[in-house]
Amino acid sequence: MLRYQTRYPVVLLHGMGFHDGKPGNWYWGRIPEILRRNGTKVYFGNLDGNATIASNAKQLVPVVQKILRETGAEKVNMIGHSKGGLEARYFVSSLGMGHAVASVTTIGSPHHGSITIDKLLAHLSLPIYIGSAVMDSIRRHYGGDRDPHTFDVIRQLSTDYMRRFNQCNPDDPNVYYQSYAFAMQGPMSDLFMSIPYTIVGLFEGENDGLITPENARWTNFRGIYKGVSKRGISHPDEVDYQRRRFSKHTPCSAHEISDMTAFYLGIVKDLKRRGY
């Protein structure tokens, strides 16, 4: 079935702290399999979990070049979750790779930085630095990261850093951009994210457990998506970490989601319709 075969292959870019496409660390849940089953050519960025935005974007250059050689395509469609969306933007703008990218879709990406991160760095900088150094050692020796810099990554998620980042990485006029935001309905939407949801909520309001809708807003903003009924959508939900439907109920609106695989099929279908 080629109903969702886009003109250009799709490259999935994961967020902080994880890898994609590796046994035991399958970041994207059922999404790649469902997309491929429906005709989409899907690839992974295979980036470090805790490397800086610039480091990961540079690692992405040979990955994309290899995909273009293998497929014969002129460009790729990039779908980036969380920090992966920032790396896609850096890849296009700072590295001048816009000629190889047809579209950039960001899923819950912190385009404007986090006020919560600002607060944590202001009051807990030393413990965060020490914890990050320990994390770097673990990820370098056991986690598969080539160039982890956890503390630097955390600082890159501050509002001040992202303000400068946005000035230095304007949209490429030849690349199609779109962004999506999500929100939990309350701390019970995802028990795993209940504590960060509550903390971010105190400082910033509505969020998906990490990112607020305003933070995720970028060019061609598609709105705030939530689960059917009172389920809500958490940051991990956005990449199908539960590997199952949220609800058996049929969504009543375009911004309600009962299954994340259907959401990604919708993205790909729309990219195909637009000629990407």
Side-chain angles (χ1 to χ4, degrees):
M1 183 183 296
L2 302 180
R3 184 180 175 189
Y4 295 90
Q5 181 175 336
T6 51
R7 179 180 180 183
Y8 304 112
V10 169
V11 183
L12 300 176
L13 305 178
H14 64 75
M16 181 181 177
F18 295 89
H19 295 102
D20 49 18
K22 295 184 179 181
N25 200 4
W26 193 253
Y27 188 85
W28 296 94
R30 300 166 296 155
I31 295 165
E33 178 185 355
I34 293 294
L35 291 180
R36 286 169 176 158
R37 190 185 304 166
N38 285 276
T40 309
K41 294 181 180 178
V42 179
Y43 295 84
F44 300 108
N46 293 319
L47 304 175
D48 282 0
N50 285 25
T52 64
I53 295 170
S55 177
N56 267 354
K58 291 173 183 176
Q59 291 178 23
L60 193 55
V61 173
V63 173
V64 170
Q65 290 174 336
K66 182 180 179 182
I67 292 171
L68 297 182
R69 287 196 304 269
E70 290 181 353
T71 62
E74 297 177 353
K75 300 180 180 182
V76 299
N77 292 304
M78 291 185 163
I79 299 179
H81 177 239
S82 195
K83 178 169 161 281
L86 306 181
E87 287 155 358
R89 289 179 52 204
Y90 188 98
F91 178 83
V92 170
S93 299
S94 286
L95 299 186
M97 293 296 290
H99 64 278
V101 179
S103 69
V104 170
T105 299
T106 62
I107 309 292
S109 294
H111 294 289
H112 304 286
S114 168
I115 294 174
T116 305
I117 292 293
D118 292 348
K119 300 287 187 181
L120 292 174
L121 287 173
H123 299 286
L124 297 171
S125 183
L126 182 58
I128 292 173
Y129 178 82
I130 294 172
S132 297
V134 174
M135 178 63 69
D136 286 347
S137 179
I138 294 173
R139 297 197 67 87
R140 188 176 292 109
H141 292 94
Y142 305 105
D145 276 12
R146 290 156 286 190
D147 189 29
H149 289 278
T150 304
F151 187 67
D152 289 339
V153 172
I154 294 172
R155 288 193 300 181
Q156 289 183 340
L157 302 179
S158 68
T159 57
D160 184 59
Y161 181 90
M162 285 309 303
R163 190 178 301 110
R164 297 194 305 272
F165 178 92
N166 291 334
Q167 292 173 351
C168 296
N169 290 277
D171 290 352
D172 185 323
N174 297 313
V175 175
Y176 176 73
Y177 293 81
Q178 60 181 347
S179 59
Y180 293 84
F182 304 81
M184 293 167 60
Q185 298 281 23
M188 301 304 290
S189 291
D190 184 344
L191 292 179
F192 179 72
M193 299 300 294
S194 61
I195 293 177
Y197 166 84
T198 302
I199 294 172
V200 175
L202 289 173
F203 295 124
E204 304 180 69
E206 184 180 42
N207 67 90
D208 65 2
L210 290 177
I211 309 299
T212 67
E214 282 305 308
N215 199 349
R217 181 187 293 268
W218 196 246
T219 306
N220 293 319
F221 182 57
R222 301 304 178 195
I224 307 169
Y225 285 71
K226 301 179 180 181
V228 172
S229 186
K230 297 181 180 180
R231 173 60 180 80
I233 302 292
S234 70
H235 203 65
D237 285 335
E238 293 157 20
V239 288
D240 193 41
Y241 91 109
Q242 293 196 56
R243 292 152 172 79
R244 60 180 175 81
R245 292 176 61 90
F246 300 135
S247 172
K248 294 181 180 179
H249 298 291
T250 301
C252 295
S253 73
H255 287 74
E256 287 188 339
I257 301 173
S258 61
D259 192 320
M260 285 307 299
T261 60
F263 171 78
Y264 279 83
L265 284 171
I267 290 177
V268 170
K269 182 179 180 180
D270 183 65
L271 289 174
K272 179 180 179 179
R273 180 181 66 83
R274 295 176 184 277
Y276 303 119

